[in-house]
Amino acid sequence: MTHVSERSSAGSNGAEGGDRQLWTAGAGRGVRKRSATYADAGVSIHAGDRAVELLKSKVKKTSRPEVIGDLGGFSGLFRLNTAKYKSPILASSTDGVGTKLVIAQQLDIHDTIGIDLVAMVVDDLVACGAEPLFLLDYIACGEVVPDKVAEIGAGIADGCRYAGCALLGGETAEHPGVLRPDEYDVSATGVGVVEESEILGKERVELGDAVIAMRSSGLHSNGYSLVRHVLLGAGRMRLDTVVDDFGTQRTLGEELLTPTKIYAKDCLGLIEETEVRAFSHVTGGGIPGNLNRVLPGTMDAVVDRSTWRPQPIFDLIQAKGRIEDSEMEATFNMGVGMFAIVSADDADRAMAYLTGRGVEAWQVGEVLEGTGEVQMMGSYTRG
């Protein structure tokens, strides 16, 4: 707090020409025995420092050779190797996790939500062919509980390792009076780089290209407001309910907190192995609302639903909420987290490569003449 001083043209006794006196905040009032502190307002700087200390070892494991310095500076430093590119283009993405956080907070499980956060950011970056370089996170909470913040941060660090990007820095903010002590929200911004001549997108898509699907790990991080309304609200289900269809005594809460699949390294490797035209990261808007973003206005993508079976969680949501097929497909990924559009000649090679990396992949359709729409055909495999 800045010290303030004030000069008066009159003395303390009101006589002109009196002595000049310093103004003080407590003038005219009784002396307070104890001054207010930031902690009195609900903010603990020490707790924040402790959380950072708990995270340092995890963050260090995400480092890349281009990272300069260590945590604790006012900014993160990253040396971009421009000699590696003819014309490097930086790509950026910002995202959060949405109301999936509510499930984590209700279950008091916080070590996976950071993986979801990284996935939302880096898989958007790789969609244009960019290699994710680094990520900056932001955690806002009602009260900084060092162990809890460290759990969230550990998940973010794990996600960065899976994606091959550095966790370059971030911010943890305590917002008492805005968030309840047990509430928090997270967001992150990532930066990647791609050679200008190798940017993927609709401009590269050609007639006859194959559309390859990569299986999701479940709901990922979209549609949770509807999920909570249908299952926990109107459906009156409990998070500790064991659902037989999930298998191995798996509870509803465990299923809902399944971390989002991170495809970044898989996609970058696929670019090296095959002729990739475009990637489509399936998030809010579902399959039709995301795959159409990489289609030229003169072409359609045909997607055959009969080529896969969505995970049981989608059946449960639809049955409990009596949700129309169109609403399900406009909200959820329905079992596909990422699409790759590749040359038809490379379709088999693409699926073999992804399968070798442990990614379940299959051809769902192809690119035909059209108007930039996604044609959903057939019915999902059931049973």
Side-chain angles (χ1 to χ4, degrees):
M1 180 171 167
T2 304
H3 173 73
V4 180
S5 65
E6 180 177 290
R7 293 190 300 176
S8 172
S9 60
S12 59
N13 58 4
E16 287 188 68
D19 295 336
R20 294 173 178 172
Q21 295 185 343
L22 289 176
W23 177 89
T24 60
R29 299 197 303 268
V31 178
R32 297 178 59 185
K33 293 182 179 180
R34 180 176 176 274
S35 61
T37 66
Y38 213 0
D40 293 334
V43 178
S44 173
I45 295 174
H46 298 298
D49 291 341
R50 174 60 179 158
V52 172
E53 285 300 318
L54 291 173
L55 273 173
K56 278 189 174 180
S57 62
K58 275 280 191 178
V59 175
K60 190 172 183 180
K61 293 179 181 178
T62 74
S63 187
R64 292 172 48 124
E66 302 97 328
V67 175
I68 300 172
D70 201 353
L71 287 179
F74 287 100
S75 60
L77 302 177
F78 191 96
R79 180 185 290 110
L80 180 62
N81 181 11
T82 55
K84 184 178 175 181
Y85 307 90
K86 293 180 180 178
S87 179
I89 300 296
L90 294 179
S92 63
S93 177
T94 295
D95 213 333
V97 178
T99 60
K100 187 172 186 175
L101 289 172
V102 176
I103 307 297
Q105 290 161 19
Q106 288 177 339
L107 291 174
D108 197 25
I109 297 174
H110 314 286
D111 59 350
T112 60
I113 209 74
I115 299 174
D116 294 295
L117 178 62
V118 176
M120 291 296 97
V121 174
V122 299
D123 286 341
D124 274 355
L125 288 176
V126 80
C128 71
E131 175 192 1
L133 297 177
F134 59 83
L135 182 134
L136 301 167
D137 65 14
Y138 180 83
I139 304 171
C141 50
E143 178 184 352
V144 171
V145 178
D147 288 341
K148 182 189 291 187
V149 173
E151 287 182 41
I152 299 168
I156 297 172
D158 286 341
C160 286
R161 285 193 298 106
Y162 303 154
C165 68
L167 180 52
L168 200 55
E171 172 75 3
T172 299
E174 197 165 27
H175 291 168
V178 177
L179 297 171
R180 293 196 310 266
D182 61 330
E183 285 184 326
Y184 62 85
D185 197 5
V186 296
S187 64
T189 296
V191 173
V193 63
V194 59
E195 185 70 64
E196 185 172 12
S197 62
E198 298 174 5
I199 297 174
L200 303 180
K202 64 177 65 178
E203 297 78 13
R204 290 178 175 263
V205 176
E206 298 181 6
L207 289 174
D209 282 346
V211 181
I212 307 297
M214 301 180 217
R215 182 168 286 278
S216 69
S217 57
L219 291 170
H220 284 183
S221 298
N222 298 103
Y224 273 77
S225 293
L226 180 56
V227 169
R228 288 166 44 243
H229 171 70
V230 167
L231 299 185
L232 306 181
R236 299 183 181 278
M237 293 186 70
R238 292 168 51 96
L239 291 173
D240 60 0
T241 300
V242 174
V243 180
D244 291 338
D245 288 345
F246 295 162
T248 63
Q249 293 295 300
R250 189 171 173 83
T251 66
L252 176 61
E254 289 171 329
E255 178 66 29
L256 295 182
L257 279 190
T258 301
T260 304
K261 169 70 176 171
I262 294 177
Y263 302 95
K265 287 186 176 180
D266 305 314
C267 291
L268 292 174
L270 189 62
I271 292 171
E272 297 295 322
E273 293 290 325
T274 65
E275 183 65 33
V276 177
R277 316 288 199 196
F279 289 117
S280 173
H281 184 201
V282 184
T283 54
I287 292 172
N290 286 282
L291 187 53
N292 68 354
R293 296 165 66 179
V294 294
L295 294 175
T298 57
M299 302 179 199
D300 284 358
V302 174
V303 173
D304 184 356
R305 299 183 184 95
S306 69
T307 59
W308 83 95
R309 179 188 177 188
Q311 291 92 332
I313 184 63
F314 297 104
D315 292 335
L316 178 64
I317 293 167
Q318 185 165 19
K320 284 285 187 180
R322 298 176 180 154
I323 303 172
E324 298 287 340
D325 291 345
S326 58
E327 183 67 18
M328 290 291 296
E329 291 184 337
T331 306
F332 304 108
N333 65 57
M334 300 305 293
V336 178
M338 181 76 78
F339 285 104
I341 298 180
V342 305
S343 163
D345 293 338
D346 277 344
D348 290 340
R349 183 177 178 84
M351 289 184 286
Y353 173 80
L354 291 169
T355 300
R357 288 189 57 87
V359 179
E360 186 179 347
W362 65 98
Q363 183 169 348
V364 296
E366 60 182 330
V367 176
L368 304 175
E369 290 185 359
T371 58
E373 301 296 324
V374 177
Q375 301 180 28
M376 303 292 292
M377 311 291 288
S379 301
Y380 295 115
T381 302
R382 305 288 183 182

